[in-house]
Each structure stands twice: as structure tokens, then as C-alpha cells.
Amino acid sequence: MSKVNRISNKDKEKQKLLNEIKRAKLDVKTAEYFFQFVSDPELVDVAIYELEAKKSRYRYLIKVAKEKGIKKSLQESLIEAMAK
């Protein structure tokens, strides 16, 4: 396998992980909104479990990215900070 192909595959893997992290972050936000709007006690339990599961997956993906040396660019960090 040539060096170009290895880099390309590595970039694809990195992008896939970053996309999963973005999706997981969106899933956490969605679960937070669901939790805020439920009032039925049974649904509150569901919302809590769902939110915790989504947060756990997000933390796991961040951990994997850090272990692989994947970091956000400064530009992405600034855009995210401004959006909050």
C-alpha cells in the first residue's frame, strides 16, 4: 500500500470519527430537549436513561479521538464557542 493510500485511509477514518462525534453531540442535545419537555413520570425516567446513554457515547468517542491524537482545529473550537 502506498503512502498516499495510507494517508487517505487515515484521513477517512479521522473524518468518520469526527462525524460520529458531531452526531453524538447532536443526539445529546436532542435528549436534553426531550428531558426538558416531558412531564409524565415514566417518560422522565426514559429521558434520564436516554440522556445518560447519549452522554456516555459522546464521552467515549471523545476519548477514542484523543487516544488517536485527533484534535479539533482552533477554528472549529472558536466557532463552537461562539455558537454557545
Side-chain angles (χ1 to χ4, degrees):
M1 181 180 283
S2 72
K3 187 174 181 179
V4 173
N5 286 341
R6 280 185 295 201
I7 292 171
S8 177
N9 288 340
K10 195 172 188 179
D11 286 343
K12 287 179 186 177
E13 182 179 318
K14 175 184 173 182
Q15 191 58 49
K16 182 179 177 185
L17 182 56
L18 290 173
N19 287 339
E20 284 187 56
I21 290 170
K22 287 177 187 177
R23 177 63 192 185
K25 186 175 180 179
L26 179 62
D27 289 345
V28 169
K29 288 284 185 194
T30 302
E32 287 173 344
Y33 290 136
F34 179 65
F35 176 74
Q36 291 174 2
F37 292 106
V38 296
S39 58
D40 184 289
E42 290 179 26
L43 287 180
V44 170
D45 286 345
V46 169
I48 291 169
Y49 290 124
E50 177 139 355
L51 179 57
E52 290 304 313
K54 301 296 183 185
K55 285 181 178 180
S56 180
R57 181 170 189 272
Y58 180 68
R59 285 189 299 266
Y60 168 76
L61 292 171
I62 295 294
K63 179 182 152 196
V64 169
K66 285 180 181 179
E67 288 172 355
K68 293 184 178 216
I70 298 172
K71 298 177 183 176
K72 282 195 230 179
S73 70
L74 178 58
Q75 181 181 8
E76 289 174 325
S77 297
L78 288 173
I79 290 171
E80 188 173 294
M82 290 172 64
K84 288 184 178 181

